[in-house]
Amino acid sequence: MLLAIDIGNSNISIGVFDGETLRLRARLSAVTERSADEYTVLLYDLLRINAVDQRAIGGCMLASVVPALTGLVETAVRKLTGVTPLRVGPGTRTGFRIQIDDPSQLGADLVADTAAALSLYGGPLILVDAGTVTTIAAVNSEGTYLGGCILPGLYGSAELLKTSTALLPSIALQPMGENFLGKNSADAMRYGLLGGTAMMVDGFIEQYLSLPKMEGAKVVATGGSMELATASCRHRIIRDADLTLKGLRRLYQLNTVRRM
């Protein structure tokens, strides 16, 4: 079985694949103050309560955008399974071209997203990953990652509204109607955040669709805020909550085949 781990700024997403089947999916809070031993215990408990024997883990693919956590989690995986994780980074075989100024700066999670989406849906693609931040990227019909944009995440934006104003309330984000006319401060904030994010996403989708070799691109969304961020979008969107984990499985296949 394959252990797939995506370390993000807010959460650590964990998946266990038995062949092509995602047998376990779980999340831990991304806490840099934890020790490697604590992460070992957390991983052990996750596997145990889901009836996964750590001795059956034969490989691990790891993506991280939080350097302070990378070594801690890698150590935990080695302690628990005896497996040394493969890390997404420079030198990783991706299966696609990266056409940005410095390909090594492309986030490991976005590499995994792209690998999975190309494998599952084919190009051209527009990828939306809504998490701590929202990223939107374009991949053309030749399978080349062209670049993209980074927007503030929904929850970070909501917190900024609250902390930078004296009278606006704390709010819970939830799906809203389509007229975007708030009748009170809380609803006006929700409409602004959810409607504004959807309009930005739609705007970038339209811009990227106009690029060469992007006509007819499928839009694929993932990330913890995926449903909220895209609920009011006008474009048809394929939502795949497990896209990053699937991408890690794909990258593991590509890179273990190369090593044989």
Side-chain angles (χ1 to χ4, degrees):
M1 286 190 284
L2 173 68
L3 179 62
I5 302 177
D6 174 33
I7 303 175
N9 289 291
S10 300
N11 297 292
I12 301 173
S13 297
I14 297 166
V16 174
F17 287 90
D18 188 353
E20 295 184 0
T21 302
L22 183 56
R23 181 171 166 182
L24 179 158
R25 61 173 64 81
R27 276 188 185 175
L28 300 174
S29 296
V31 180
T32 56
E33 287 76 17
R34 286 183 179 139
S35 67
D37 288 336
E38 288 175 295
Y39 277 112
T40 304
V41 172
L42 290 170
L43 282 172
Y44 172 79
D45 286 342
L46 277 176
L47 297 178
R48 181 173 57 84
I49 64 176
N50 287 280
V52 176
D53 185 347
Q54 73 264 27
R55 294 171 295 182
I57 302 294
C60 176
M61 196 76 194
L62 182 146
S64 176
V65 296
V66 187
L69 285 173
T70 306
L72 296 174
V73 175
E74 286 181 337
T75 299
V77 171
R78 283 194 296 269
K79 282 187 174 183
L80 185 61
T81 68
V83 169
T84 297
L86 296 181
R87 189 192 305 180
V88 181
T92 299
R93 186 179 183 185
T94 65
F96 60 91
R97 291 182 59 223
I98 302 173
Q99 191 174 300
I100 63 175
D101 292 344
D102 183 355
S104 68
Q105 290 186 353
L106 184 61
D109 52 345
L110 302 183
V111 172
D113 289 347
T114 306
L118 282 170
S119 175
L120 294 169
Y121 307 109
L125 293 164
I126 296 171
L127 302 175
V128 180
D129 192 330
T132 305
V133 298
T134 297
T135 61
I136 310 171
V139 183
N140 70 16
S141 58
E142 296 178 345
T144 298
Y145 185 100
L146 301 176
C149 65
I150 301 174
L151 311 175
L154 275 172
Y155 289 95
S157 296
E159 182 63 22
L160 179 63
L161 276 179
K162 175 64 181 74
T163 58
S164 60
T165 59
L167 296 178
L168 291 180
S170 296
I171 59 169
L173 291 174
Q174 59 195 37
M176 303 289 288
E178 296 297 328
N179 62 14
F180 300 113
L181 291 172
K183 301 298 185 180
N184 55 66
S185 294
D187 280 352
M189 292 168 68
R190 292 187 184 98
Y191 279 127
L193 291 164
L194 299 177
T197 296
M199 290 174 190
M200 284 192 289
V201 171
D202 274 332
F204 278 105
I205 290 172
E206 290 165 11
Q207 179 66 31
Y208 293 162
L209 285 171
S210 69
L211 297 174
K213 301 179 182 178
M214 288 295 296
E215 183 178 357
K218 302 179 187 73
V219 183
V220 182
T222 193
S225 301
M226 166 188 68
E227 296 288 349
L228 287 171
T230 62
S232 297
C233 287
R234 299 188 305 274
H235 292 84
R236 181 179 180 274
I237 294 176
I238 301 167
R239 295 174 176 86
D240 190 337
D242 299 320
L243 188 69
T244 309
L245 295 176
K246 293 173 183 176
L248 291 173
R249 177 180 175 274
R250 173 65 177 159
L251 293 171
Y252 184 81
Q253 291 175 321
L254 290 171
N255 286 273
T256 52
V257 167
R258 186 179 66 169
R259 291 175 174 219
M260 293 175 61

